[in-house]
Amino acid sequence: MLDINIKTVLLGNSKIGKTSLVRRFVENKFISSDAYMSTIGGAFISKEVFSSDGKRVLLCIWDTAGEEKFESVTRTFYRNANAAIVCYDVTCAKSWNRAKSWVSELRQFEEKCVIYLCATKMDLLKEKEKSAKRAMDPSIISMYVKSMNIKRHFETSSKTGENVANMFLTIAQDYVELNKDQLNAGETIHLGQRNTARPCCFTFLKP
């Protein structure tokens, strides 16, 4: 069976739930971003999934630091990435503005990287006891997605699991579809970094 390794990087401000997204996908558990220490440098984790036609795909995920002082380090993690998930907190306009900066930077330096936009913390909009509101008009986001040629936009909640697995599995499926000619020709694609010894363990890297 062919091995398809996809280097995927998560970008966005700190405390918007990037690590929570990965933990929900890999371990199917929720830990609030408030319970985490901010990621320093980056954390690597991989998980094996299968495409709709049975191809084995290894998602090699880099969860990057969101603090500005680590941005130069973060840039080393998105080099040669096959896919980027640019995250923002649906209730925080500041995180949306930073997400747009990451998209522009990827468009400038990683032209082949497929970009996905991810709204986090959708559960906050649905909890009656909280008064959280969308910080950005959905129509503006929709126009932005089209104008920047972003592959897909997902609205997610790590707390409820809404759309989290679907997002990662869609990225894997999209990659298989985009590279189907190579795969049908019998070529093995190795474009990410692989961690076969500990496929579901975080490795934290400090600058």
Side-chain angles (χ1 to χ4, degrees), residues 3-11 42-47 57-64 73-85 106 110 112-116 168 171-172 175-176 179 189-195 205:
D3 290 321
I4 308 165
N5 297 352
I6 307 173
K7 181 178 180 181
T8 305
V9 62
L10 275 78
L11 300 169
F44 172 76
I45 191 169
S46 61
K47 182 171 181 176
V57 178
L58 192 69
L59 283 170
C60 304
I61 303 166
W62 288 100
D63 175 17
T64 65
V73 178
T74 297
R75 291 184 177 96
T76 66
F77 292 122
Y78 73 56
R79 289 175 186 165
N80 300 315
N82 306 120
I85 304 172
L106 287 166
E110 294 294 333
K112 295 182 179 180
C113 181
V114 180
I115 300 175
Y116 297 82
F168 286 99
I171 290 171
Y175 186 80
V176 170
N179 293 277
I189 299 177
H190 293 284
L191 290 178
Q193 296 193 45
R194 190 165 186 176
N195 182 1
L205 303 173

Side-chain angles (χ1 to χ4, degrees), residues 18-85:
K18 298 190 300 297
T19 301
S20 295
L21 280 174
V22 181
R23 293 292 292 271
R24 169 61 78 176
F25 173 57
V26 173
E27 303 175 30
N28 195 28
K29 65 170 61 173
F30 171 68
I31 301 176
S32 170
S33 58
D34 294 332
Y36 289 113
M37 293 180 62
S38 295
T39 302
I40 299 174
F44 172 76
I45 191 169
S46 61
K47 182 171 181 176
E48 185 179 276
V49 299
F50 290 87
S51 65
S52 60
D53 59 354
K55 290 185 174 64
R56 187 173 60 195
V57 178
L58 192 69
L59 283 170
C60 304
I61 303 166
W62 288 100
D63 175 17
T64 65
E67 295 183 55
E68 290 186 12
K69 62 183 178 180
F70 295 126
E71 284 185 2
S72 60
V73 178
T74 297
R75 291 184 177 96
T76 66
F77 292 122
Y78 73 56
R79 289 175 186 165
N80 300 315
N82 306 120
I85 304 172

Side-chain angles (χ1 to χ4, degrees), residues 119-162:
T120 64
K121 304 185 181 183
M122 288 297 295
D123 53 279
L124 295 181
L125 303 181
K126 301 174 182 179
E127 294 180 357
K128 294 181 180 180
E129 66 273 16
K130 295 185 178 180
S131 58
K133 296 181 179 180
R134 286 180 181 268
M136 297 70 60
D137 189 315
S139 63
I140 293 176
I141 294 176
S142 180
M143 288 189 291
Y144 175 78
V145 167
K146 292 179 180 178
S147 67
M148 295 302 292
N149 195 29
I150 291 170
K151 184 69 173 178
R152 301 180 193 273
H153 177 223
F154 294 93
E155 294 187 334
T156 68
S157 167
S158 297
K159 184 175 183 179
T160 66
E162 178 185 356

